[in-house]
Amino acid sequence: MAQAHVPGLALALVRDGQVVYVKGYGERDTGRQLPLQADTVMYAASLTKATFAYGVMMMADEGRIDLDRSIDALLAKPLPEYDKYADLAGDERWRMLTPRILLSHRSGFANFRFWQPGKPYDPDGKLFFYFDPGTRFAYSGEGINLLQFALENGGGIDVGDYLRTHLFERFGMTRTSLTWRKEFEGNVAIGYDEHGRALGHKQRGSVRAAGSMDTTVDDYAHLLAAMVRGDGLRPATHAAWQAPQVRIRSAQQFPTMGVADTDDDDGIALSYALGIARFESPRGPAWFKEGHDDGTNNLALCLARSRDCVLLMSNSSNGESIFPQLIEATLGPVCFPWYWAGYIPFDHPEWKAPGAHPPCRRTGDGPA
């Protein structure tokens, strides 16, 4: 942490589906020299997506949603008739969108409409399809938020309430919420950019399935253990949640489009499932979800057969530069696709150049 200029880190380990280690390191607030602890509230960022996806699978088990039915069946009126999605008027491809397509990031949308590929931030950016839904992978928070919109505006499901009752309360996550709670103020992590500049902690006031959750490493570790065990899901549904939906050929996850394809990750069959990425490790199937924002770097990684997991949460934009080493230190050499995730090791900055990183090709006995 010191070498990579990471002020705070929280780490949890799950062994055979049980939380065995939870600890905070460094500081949650460097200005006041306050320690980062297991119950420090941290921004989950896109770990929210995996949480939401698990909840959607519960909805499927309850018969409240059909993963393969068009979102048109959920909505009271055509999608473009809602102001938020008026940009799609005249393009009937929205009817091709299903919960399965949206959860596996095959919507055809940009990550967010205000971040169009190859263009600067545009608060007035328009929403449109870059490719036909279902035909390829391109990470899209826009697609995840659309599924939330369909559930709430047609399915009669309050996503915030559903996740609170079905996940947070069920698994004892007392310091987790999809919106800010005032009681978090006493022990909350301040985010820091790559230069150590304090960014504060955003107090999000509305539920966003793509990334509004605050949590603690202890809370999320218990959810992660429940997820790897399959609690709350039928075995077939749990298997379907982790099943690959689309192979990933992009060299890196971001930018979401316009990146050259590669076969570097073919050896581990890198794919996307439903709200989580997955690959074949030397110890069998593995799945993971990252969370990234300015001043926030998170990773949840689980080995499905042994039900071993590591959870890493940092209040620093530099956090992910030490994640590859921490993965190997906690789970061993599992062939995690760190280059695709953008986790350039702090001590090998030269690996950032395309083609300079050493790919991992799984073998029967371990990584090559």
Side-chain angles (χ1 to χ4, degrees), residues 205-285:
S206 57
V207 173
R208 290 290 181 270
S212 69
M213 186 168 65
D214 279 316
T215 190
T216 71
V217 67
D218 186 70
D219 275 10
Y220 206 84
H222 284 86
L223 177 60
L224 193 61
M227 287 174 163
V228 79
R229 294 193 304 262
D231 290 4
L233 297 180
R234 293 186 297 110
T237 307
H238 188 233
W241 173 60
Q242 303 170 69
Q245 304 295 312
V246 56
R247 281 292 292 274
I248 295 173
R249 303 289 184 184
S250 59
Q252 288 192 300
Q253 184 171 201
F254 298 105
T256 56
M257 299 179 203
V259 177
D261 286 350
T262 181
D263 62 0
D264 279 353
D265 292 315
D266 284 2
I268 58 171
L270 180 63
S271 309
Y272 225 86
L274 298 179
I276 49 176
R278 61 102 67 200
F279 65 98
E280 291 295 327
S281 82
R283 294 165 57 189

Side-chain angles (χ1 to χ4, degrees), residues 50 103-105 137 139 241-244 246 248 253 269-280 285-290 299-302 336-337 340-341:
L103 288 176
S104 56
H105 295 284
F137 170 85
Y139 190 88
W241 173 60
Q242 303 170 69
V246 56
I248 295 173
Q253 184 171 201
L270 180 63
S271 309
Y272 225 86
L274 298 179
I276 49 176
R278 61 102 67 200
F279 65 98
E280 291 295 327
W287 53 263
F288 66 95
K289 186 68 194 80
E290 321 96 302
L299 172 69
L301 167 63
C302 291
F336 178 79
W340 179 80

Side-chain angles (χ1 to χ4, degrees), residues 2-263:
Q3 292 175 42
H5 305 290
V6 177
L9 175 83
L11 185 150
L13 297 176
V14 174
R15 299 295 191 217
D16 191 21
Q18 301 298 322
V19 179
V20 298
Y21 185 84
V22 181
K23 187 173 176 63
Y25 300 85
E27 295 177 330
R28 68 177 187 264
D29 186 328
T30 61
R32 295 190 292 167
Q33 296 184 312
L34 298 176
L36 196 153
Q37 301 162 310
D39 61 348
T40 295
V41 170
M42 305 180 73
Y43 177 42
S46 287
L47 292 184
T48 313
K49 293 182 176 71
T51 308
F52 171 65
Y54 202 83
V56 170
M57 301 308 288
M58 288 182 166
M59 296 175 200
D61 265 354
E62 295 171 354
R64 302 182 69 175
I65 187 172
D66 184 335
L67 295 175
D68 294 307
R69 194 174 185 186
S70 170
I71 60 170
D72 185 28
L74 286 172
L75 296 169
K77 57 185 179 181
L79 182 64
E81 293 186 15
Y82 295 91
D83 289 344
K84 186 175 181 179
Y85 294 98
D87 291 345
L88 298 179
D91 192 334
E92 291 296 299
R93 286 181 291 179
W94 70 267
R95 298 183 188 275
M96 300 168 64
L97 297 170
T98 66
R100 185 184 302 277
I101 285 174
L102 293 171
L103 288 176
S104 56
H105 295 284
R106 293 179 289 154
S107 66
F109 298 139
N111 190 11
F112 289 103
R113 66 186 76 188
F114 45 79
W115 282 118
Q116 300 293 349
K119 297 180 181 180
Y121 173 77
D122 180 1
D124 299 316
K126 303 297 183 183
L127 180 66
F128 58 90
F129 292 104
Y130 283 85
F131 55 84
D132 290 342
T135 58
R136 54 158 292 185
F137 170 85
Y139 190 88
S140 177
E142 196 76 58
I144 299 296
N145 282 339
L146 172 55
L147 180 53
Q148 175 193 348
F149 181 88
L151 291 171
E152 294 186 335
N153 289 273
I157 299 173
D158 185 309
V159 168
D161 285 346
Y162 190 94
L163 296 185
R164 176 178 54 80
T165 57
H166 286 69
L167 294 177
F168 305 160
E169 292 179 357
R170 176 173 185 163
F171 300 120
M173 301 169 68
T174 60
R175 288 175 61 77
T176 297
S177 177
L178 291 173
T179 55
W180 174 258
R181 299 203 320 241
K182 187 171 179 58
E183 62 263 33
F184 293 164
E185 289 180 349
N187 189 354
V188 63
I190 302 300
Y192 296 90
D193 69 12
E194 60 271 25
H195 305 295
R197 181 172 63 94
L199 303 176
H201 186 99
K202 294 180 182 177
Q203 299 182 7
R204 291 163 176 82
S206 57
V207 173
R208 290 290 181 270
S212 69
M213 186 168 65
D214 279 316
T215 190
T216 71
V217 67
D218 186 70
D219 275 10
Y220 206 84
H222 284 86
L223 177 60
L224 193 61
M227 287 174 163
V228 79
R229 294 193 304 262
D231 290 4
L233 297 180
R234 293 186 297 110
T237 307
H238 188 233
W241 173 60
Q242 303 170 69
Q245 304 295 312
V246 56
R247 281 292 292 274
I248 295 173
R249 303 289 184 184
S250 59
Q252 288 192 300
Q253 184 171 201
F254 298 105
T256 56
M257 299 179 203
V259 177
D261 286 350
T262 181
D263 62 0

Side-chain angles (χ1 to χ4, degrees), residues 308-323:
D308 293 343
C309 308
V310 61
L311 172 63
L312 304 169
M313 302 183 71
S314 176
N315 62 338
S316 170
S317 293
N318 295 328
E320 57 198 24
S321 73
I322 63 174
F323 284 4

